[in-house]
Amino acid sequence: MEKPFQLKLIIRRVSATASLQWLSGAWQLFKKTPVLFMAMFLLTACLGFLLQLNQLTAIVWVFLNPFLTAGFYKAIVGVQHQQHVTVDWVFKPLAEPACRLILLAIGALKVLLLTPLISFQQQLLLPMSTAIESQSTADITITWQLLVLVALFALVFMLFAYAVAIAYFLKEQRILAVLQTSFIACWRNVAALLVFGLLSMALVLLTVPTFFIGLIVVLPLLNIAFFLSFNEVFALQVKSSDDGILEV
């Protein structure tokens, strides 16, 4: 009798300069269908802006955003496989019941964690701005609070960075497993992600002379590059010493 396959997650550790390859690969993909990726970005950005104008519709955006992210990733895979990809692919995950609950959970939990952090940030900005205006040294307590805030924002980022991709492409339905896997992937590759973050900021700053109009190219490019990082960090590998184990 054959052993059933068990799925395990294996996370690669990539070099600190891997982000250069991600950006290079993203540019090659972007050049294939630039209008498609820019249209997807503009559609998503406009939806996000309009839905966040009202508190009730902002709730809709909370749950919709993971689906649109998954749809954008799906379009990247479609372009990689030379499929005919259209703008409406960004909405395709909405029609897939298998991923519906986990993507809804990701959206809800992310907002649940970010809301108190944003509130804390707003409370912290007032004494900081007062200290800057008076040109006085900030209280040591405020400095520590700022460091804690940055650490908490970094933690939330690491928990959710790859969450949508893990849930959608690796078919993981357990929210704790999704968050844990995303965190471990970021922790093991923190150097590469830091370099990617610095390069991302540099590319965004390059759009300043264009009054940020260049973001319609830069932001889709960065999203593609980040998805390529997911492809590199997570890979299928058979462990020969243990039959029936498929490590992912």
Side-chain angles (χ1 to χ4, degrees):
M1 182 177 178
E2 295 183 358
K3 296 181 181 180
F5 279 96
Q6 297 175 340
L7 290 179
K8 287 187 177 181
L9 287 169
I10 279 191
I11 301 164
R12 285 180 176 172
R13 182 180 282 110
V14 300
S15 66
T17 57
S19 54
L20 296 173
Q21 298 174 357
W22 304 338
L23 287 169
S24 176
W27 177 243
Q28 296 304 318
L29 279 175
F30 181 83
K31 287 194 302 181
K32 291 182 178 180
T33 55
V35 175
L36 170 72
F37 288 123
M38 288 190 291
M40 282 186 167
F41 164 72
L42 290 173
L43 176 60
T44 303
C46 290
L47 276 175
F49 175 76
L50 293 174
L51 290 176
Q52 292 182 82
L53 291 176
N54 182 277
Q55 289 184 346
L56 291 177
T57 54
I59 298 174
V60 176
W61 175 248
V62 166
F63 295 107
L64 181 62
N65 188 42
F67 289 90
L68 299 184
T69 301
F72 189 85
Y73 290 166
K74 186 181 184 72
I76 296 171
V77 174
V79 173
Q80 286 177 320
H81 289 84
Q82 299 182 344
Q83 296 177 327
H84 177 64
V85 181
T86 54
V87 176
D88 64 324
W89 275 47
V90 76
F91 298 111
K92 278 196 170 187
L94 288 167
E96 301 177 25
C99 65
R100 195 168 293 156
L101 288 179
I102 186 63
L103 292 181
L104 289 173
I106 288 171
L109 190 55
K110 186 175 183 180
V111 171
L112 187 65
L113 292 177
L114 281 177
T115 300
L117 290 182
I118 294 172
S119 177
F120 181 35
Q121 178 189 28
Q122 292 172 345
Q123 293 176 6
L124 196 58
L125 285 177
L126 181 59
M128 285 184 62
S129 60
T130 303
I132 293 172
E133 289 175 0
S134 62
Q135 296 183 348
S136 61
T137 305
D139 190 289
I140 188 66
T141 304
I142 297 176
T143 304
W144 278 110
Q145 288 177 339
L146 182 61
L147 291 174
V148 170
L149 182 64
V150 171
L152 290 175
F153 270 116
L155 174 61
V156 172
F157 168 80
M158 293 169 74
L159 287 172
F160 291 94
Y162 293 113
V164 171
I166 292 167
Y168 189 71
F169 292 101
L170 301 184
K171 309 301 181 184
E172 178 57 68
Q173 296 292 316
R174 299 166 298 171
I175 184 65
L176 291 180
V178 168
L179 299 183
Q180 180 186 21
T181 304
S182 177
F183 176 83
I184 295 172
C186 291
W187 182 258
R188 285 173 62 90
N189 296 286
V190 65
L193 291 175
L194 280 175
V195 173
F196 179 72
L198 293 173
L199 291 173
S200 299
M201 286 190 291
L203 289 174
V204 170
L205 289 175
L206 287 176
T207 67
V208 173
T210 69
F211 299 98
F212 296 104
I213 296 175
L215 289 177
I216 63 173
V217 172
V218 170
L219 292 184
L221 180 70
L222 293 178
N223 283 328
I224 297 170
F226 193 75
F227 179 72
L228 294 183
S229 77
F230 167 78
N231 282 342
E232 185 172 1
V233 169
F234 295 90
L236 291 172
Q237 179 182 356
V238 177
K239 185 177 179 182
S240 58
S241 61
D242 195 350
D243 294 333
I245 301 294
L246 181 63
E247 297 182 336
V248 183

